[in-house]
Amino acid sequence: MAILTFLISLAGATMLLLYAVRMVRTGIERSYGASFQRLLTGKQSHLQAGAMGLLLAIVLQSSAAVALLTSGFAASGYLTFPAGLAIVLGGDLGSALIIQILSFKLDWLVPVLLALGGYLFVKTEAKKARQLGRILMGIAFILISLRFLREAMDPIRDSAFLPAVAGYLARDYITAFLVGGALAFVMHSSVAAILMCVTLVQIDALPFAAGLSLVLGANFGSAFIPVWLSRGLNLPARRIPYANLALRGSWAVICLFGANLALRQGWLGDPQGGQMLVNAHLAFNASLLVLALPVCTPLGDLFCRLFPDPAPSTVIQPGRPISALEPGNYGSPALAISNLKRELLRMSDQVGAMFRPVLDLYEEGTKEQIRAVQKMDEEVNACLSGIRSYVAAIPEDAFDREELKTARSLMEYAIRLETAGDVVARRLAVLAGDLNRKNLRFSREGWLEITRMHEAILANMQLASNVLISDDLESARLLSLEKTEVKRMERDSRKRHLRRLQNGARDSFDTSDIHLETLRALREFNSHIAAVAYPLLYQNGQLLETRLINDLQQEDAD
């Protein structure tokens, strides 16, 4: 019975730890997720890239998340292989620093974090404040889970079972290494796995030697996580995770044999305690970063040969992707609605491909680049035509009233997406051309304001796609709040711009019309994107007491 109680307590503490780590990462991603691409893909040296990876890992609470983000950008051509690998290696060191911070005795901080975080998350509506509350509560839950973990180990610390297992792992360091690797991979979090090992050593449930082998194994196992998660991507996207695995795995094995030999010979003295284990973990990752940075560029050629770019197809590709809709072939209502959502997702991706390079067009867009973006609007228009024809031909006798209303609401969103594409092609792209033709540049403050709005809208586009696919009410509510946040950003930027004009800022005066029109266009674009949330919010009574409810009720009556 004691063993069963121990296993249940251990599982509960572990799940709370995993949930808390994810909670912190979610809060940070929702607040600053759109900024990551700009930070990751900026021009930087290997050392600067490593430092950027370190900071992002601390922010995201996960080196695996940094590796996946980096792989995606590298595969899309936004990031070179050497810089991407340096970012991932820096992320591993950042993950080790998180463990250093969380390994301190911070139980006194839990009530403060819960009180402040809970107030911000429950009582405030501002996006940044709510997500800050989520982050603070997540950190509190991490500290609570570590306390639970220590308490779960107390009853069996003096049993005959634990010393036997601990002694075996201390003697058979290869088994301990494999167990640590499996633990990190199964938990899908090196932070959680290593915190668990450190806690076991802190309470003397495991000797230092066994803990060190487990931690080295967890470092090795954590490198498998991005490899596993990127298994469905194309070959170029998998180069960086495999390179990281090769470097991290090789160094972990070398350190495993070297450290255990040194411990047996007494060359390291008699290290004890969890803090010494955290220091060893930090030393492992810092040394790996220092040793690997010089070989990032040579490894690029090697892994380009191991994971080559796909050979160009000799088959002539059609001018545009094949539509998910087949007029006249509807099948069941559920299948027809699924096809509509697939086509809308394709249309949303196309609009996103138009909107994403807008800032580049403003900075140094050529006429050819601007025309290329504008030409993409033809595909968006074709998608709308297909969706309109498909919905118009739906056999009403085969669909009930709710299913027809859903199909029509999806068509309405397609119209909003097409209008969003027009905003890019006919307004933002034209404004970018005017800015470059007149050789004008925004003020530093004005450009930063536009950049932040662009990043926020990119994040909202991803959120809108999630709402479209999942019909998740919480995501729809968040998207509605984000729409309000973009409106606030536009209003604040306009006020600051006018103040700069009053202060005689020459750059602001020269670009005033373009700046103000860009703000209006960005706000309008975001409004069209966020429209996917309205039907779902209305169905769940979340739009009562608003002007919009009357419009939707009128549509129902029609």
Side-chain angles (χ1 to χ4, degrees):
M1 189 64 184
I3 294 297
L4 180 60
T5 302
F6 162 71
L7 292 176
I8 293 174
S9 300
L10 183 64
T14 302
M15 289 302 105
L16 179 59
L17 180 59
L18 291 173
Y19 171 76
V21 171
R22 182 180 180 87
M23 188 174 180
V24 174
R25 186 165 68 245
T26 299
I28 294 171
E29 285 176 344
R30 288 183 178 179
S31 296
Y32 307 103
S35 303
F36 293 159
Q37 177 174 350
R38 181 167 58 89
L39 292 173
L40 284 171
T41 57
K43 295 179 180 179
Q44 49 199 340
S45 66
H46 291 179
L47 186 59
Q48 291 171 326
M52 181 59 62
L54 184 149
L55 292 174
L56 285 176
I58 293 175
V59 167
L60 292 174
Q61 302 275 299
S62 171
S63 57
V66 174
L68 288 174
L69 281 172
T70 303
S71 298
F73 291 140
S76 302
Y78 293 114
L79 199 62
T80 63
F81 175 92
L85 183 55
I87 289 172
V88 172
L89 293 169
D92 294 331
L93 180 56
S95 178
L97 288 173
I98 296 170
I99 294 166
Q100 171 71 76
I101 296 168
L102 295 176
S103 64
F104 295 131
K105 292 282 188 178
L106 299 173
D107 289 350
W108 59 271
L109 196 56
V110 170
V112 178
L113 293 173
L114 287 175
L116 182 58
Y119 176 81
L120 291 173
F121 188 75
V122 175
K123 296 296 185 180
T124 61
E125 293 297 330
K127 168 192 171 184
K128 300 286 186 183
R130 281 177 57 85
Q131 298 310 320
L132 177 59
R134 183 192 297 271
I135 294 165
L136 294 178
M137 292 183 67
I139 295 172
F141 289 157
I142 290 175
L143 299 175
I144 292 171
S145 67
L146 294 176
R147 182 197 298 171
F148 283 172
L149 189 59
R150 290 192 294 268
E151 293 174 354
M153 297 301 300
D154 282 340
I156 67 164
R157 190 189 310 177
D158 299 326
S159 66
F161 169 75
L162 186 60
V165 173
Y168 176 75
L169 292 178
R171 292 190 303 273
D172 189 350
Y173 56 85
I174 294 179
T175 299
F177 180 82
L178 296 175
V179 169
L183 186 66
F185 183 77
V186 169
M187 295 176 76
H188 264 46
S189 171
S190 61
V191 172
I194 294 172
L195 278 174
M196 178 180 290
C197 296
V198 170
T199 302
L200 293 175
V201 173
Q202 279 178 336
I203 64 175
D204 297 326
L206 281 179
F208 178 86
L212 180 61
S213 298
L214 285 169
V215 165
L216 290 172
N219 276 281
F220 185 32
S222 66
F224 277 98
I225 298 172
V227 169
W228 173 258
L229 294 177
S230 64
R231 66 190 184 281
L233 302 179
N234 55 29
L235 287 179
R238 295 156 66 188
R239 290 171 184 159
I240 291 177
Y242 273 99
N244 180 54
L245 175 62
L247 289 171
R248 199 167 177 78
S250 301
W251 189 234
V253 171
I254 292 171
C255 289
L256 174 71
F257 287 102
N260 278 277
L261 176 62
L263 286 172
R264 281 177 167 76
Q265 298 296 327
W267 297 337
L268 300 179
D270 186 24
Q272 298 292 332
Q275 186 56 50
M276 186 63 71
L277 189 60
V278 173
N279 294 339
H281 176 56
L282 271 172
F284 170 84
N285 284 281
S287 59
L288 175 60
L289 179 64
V290 171
L291 292 173
L293 280 181
V295 300
C296 286
T297 300
L299 282 176
D301 297 333
L302 172 63
F303 279 88
C304 281
R305 290 195 295 270
L306 294 176
F307 298 91
D309 291 317
S313 174
T314 57
V315 179
I316 299 176
Q317 297 293 328
R320 57 188 177 92
I322 298 174
S323 171
L325 305 179
E326 296 181 33
N329 183 14
Y330 293 94
S332 66
L335 179 61
I337 290 172
S338 296
N339 288 338
L340 277 171
K341 288 187 174 183
R342 287 172 54 203
E343 186 69 1
L344 273 172
L345 192 61
R346 185 169 77 93
M347 189 176 181
S348 177
D349 289 342
Q350 191 71 15
V351 172
M354 294 176 64
F355 181 73
R356 196 168 291 109
V358 161
L359 294 186
D360 295 332
L361 297 183
Y362 270 73
E363 284 189 303
E364 50 186 21
T366 63
K367 292 181 179 179
E368 291 74 18
Q369 291 171 327
I370 291 172
R371 280 197 293 267
V373 169
Q374 292 173 324
K375 188 172 179 58
M376 294 168 70
D377 193 41
E378 297 176 5
E379 173 65 21
V380 176
N381 296 337
C383 286
L384 174 61
S385 298
I387 291 173
R388 187 186 290 119
S389 300
Y390 187 83
V391 173
I394 288 178
E396 296 191 9
D397 56 341
F399 286 60
D400 62 30
R401 185 170 179 273
E402 287 300 318
E403 290 162 347
L404 284 172
K405 187 169 71 171
T406 299
R408 287 167 183 164
S409 70
L410 292 175
M411 184 181 70
E412 290 294 328
Y413 186 55
I415 295 172
R416 301 295 291 264
L417 285 176
E418 191 274 338
T419 308
D422 289 343
V423 170
V424 177
R426 301 179 185 179
R427 292 172 61 184
L428 291 171
V430 172
L431 290 169
D434 291 344
L435 190 72
N436 288 298
R437 187 176 64 256
K438 297 175 183 178
N439 197 26
L440 298 175
R441 286 295 174 263
F442 293 117
S443 66
R444 181 179 178 277
E445 296 82 2
W447 179 244
L448 184 60
E449 292 160 8
I450 290 174
T451 299
R452 286 174 176 168
M453 279 190 70
H454 184 268
E455 291 173 348
I457 295 170
L458 282 176
N460 290 347
M461 293 192 70
Q462 182 62 47
L463 188 57
S465 297
N466 295 340
V467 173
L468 176 65
I469 295 170
S470 66
D471 288 333
D472 178 57
L473 179 60
E474 179 61 27
S475 296
R477 291 183 72 251
L478 180 60
L479 182 58
S480 179
L481 292 172
E482 293 298 318
K483 177 185 174 182
T484 304
E485 177 70 12
V486 169
K487 286 183 179 179
R488 184 196 61 77
M489 294 172 71
E490 185 262 347
R491 182 176 62 251
D492 291 348
S493 178
R494 182 164 20 94
K495 290 178 179 178
R496 284 192 289 266
H497 175 73
L498 294 177
R499 280 199 298 268
R500 288 193 293 271
L501 291 180
Q502 292 173 349
N503 293 332
R506 184 65 189 176
D507 289 344
S508 297
F509 183 82
D510 292 340
T511 60
S512 182
D513 290 341
I514 296 177
H515 183 96
L516 294 174
E517 183 60 31
T518 297
L519 294 178
R520 285 192 289 269
L522 290 174
R523 173 178 169 175
E524 181 181 340
F525 180 91
N526 184 72
S527 296
H528 292 309
I529 296 301
V532 70
Y534 298 157
L536 184 60
L537 293 173
Y538 172 61
Q539 291 168 12
N540 290 274
Q542 299 291 307
L543 286 181
L544 296 175
E545 306 300 330
T546 70
R547 178 171 56 84
L548 184 59
I549 192 74
N550 298 323
D551 298 335
L552 291 173
Q553 286 175 338
Q554 182 63 39
E555 289 179 12
D556 286 349
D558 296 340

